[in-house]
Amino acid sequence: MFDVTLSVYQAIFTFTLAAIALLASPGPGPATLALAASGAAYGMQRSFQFFVGITLGLVIAMALVVSGLYVVLHSFPGLAVALTIISIVYIFWLAYRIGTAPPIQDQQAVVTPGWGAGFVLGVANIKAYAAFAALLGSFTLGTTPGWEQGTKALICLLVCVVFDFLWLFAGSRMRKLFIHPVWSRRLNVSFAILMVVTVAWSFTLT
């Protein structure tokens, strides 16, 4: 019994590491860098709705994978192409918004990306669907099927929430290091370029 319990915990630990590697890094999609960029450009408080929207979008994406609907949707190549185009367009739009964001002192009247923009970015992130499908379908924890899927989904959700928040927090901390308008502009433009480059790089891996 002890050996079985230990093996389950080891499997959960391994799965958690895999989830962190796939979901918390700048890939599989641009959400992490977008959050860091938004935090750097607009601050943590003004970017929180964007974070909530991304989280809700990823929850929907994961629910589609867990329910099996992702497999059905994946059989329609046109849908995957449409989601990819939406995701790319949104990233370019966000990169433009962040890259052209005014210096910190001049942001009082700036409209920041809200939860709607974050939701679309999360739910249209085709790379996230692939990551969820790989994690939820390729790992075995050694528990009953119901508990296993629920546990894996919960771990994925916690990884997304915790590490996306950390990316947002890191961006907002960097913002405080670039108070000068010139350096604030350079930081925003750098994040915008990184977002575009990361998206381009991620699609070369498919």
Side-chain angles (χ1 to χ4, degrees):
M1 180 66 179
F2 176 77
D3 290 339
V4 173
T5 302
L6 182 61
S7 65
V8 170
Y9 282 121
Q10 289 175 337
I12 290 175
F13 178 73
T14 302
F15 178 82
T16 302
L17 291 180
I20 292 172
L22 281 176
L23 300 174
S25 63
T32 49
L33 269 181
L35 283 165
S38 182
Y42 306 112
M44 190 165 185
Q45 183 176 358
R46 301 181 72 181
S47 300
F48 189 75
Q49 288 190 3
F50 184 56
F51 162 76
V52 171
I54 286 179
T55 301
L56 291 176
L58 291 175
V59 167
I60 297 298
M62 185 167 57
L64 289 173
V65 173
V66 171
S67 66
L69 289 177
Y70 170 71
V71 177
V72 177
L73 296 176
H74 195 62
S75 63
F76 297 93
L79 181 60
V81 172
L83 288 175
T84 300
I85 292 173
I86 291 172
S87 180
I88 291 174
V89 169
Y90 252 81
I91 280 299
F92 274 90
W93 175 74
L94 286 172
Y96 172 78
R97 288 283 303 276
I98 289 168
T100 58
I104 293 173
Q105 293 92 332
D106 302 329
Q107 289 189 355
Q108 298 304 319
V110 174
V111 178
T112 60
W115 76 270
F119 179 80
V120 172
L121 184 60
V123 80
N125 185 356
I126 197 68
K127 298 292 182 179
Y129 285 91
F132 286 136
L135 288 167
L136 298 175
S138 302
F139 284 82
T140 301
L141 302 183
T143 61
T144 59
W147 278 103
E148 179 156 320
Q149 284 298 91
T151 301
K152 290 191 290 188
L154 179 60
I155 291 172
C156 287
L157 177 60
L158 289 175
V159 167
C160 288
V161 171
V162 171
F163 283 90
D164 281 357
F165 183 82
L166 289 176
W167 276 94
L168 174 61
F169 178 79
S172 67
R173 294 299 95 184
M174 289 185 66
R175 169 186 171 88
K176 295 183 180 298
L177 301 176
F178 294 86
I179 298 297
H180 192 279
V182 174
W183 286 103
S184 176
R185 170 70 68 192
R186 289 177 180 175
L187 177 65
N188 293 345
V189 171
S190 297
F191 265 120
I193 293 173
L194 275 175
M195 288 168 61
V196 174
V197 169
T198 301
V199 170
W201 172 75
S202 68
F203 280 100
T204 65
L205 302 179
T206 56

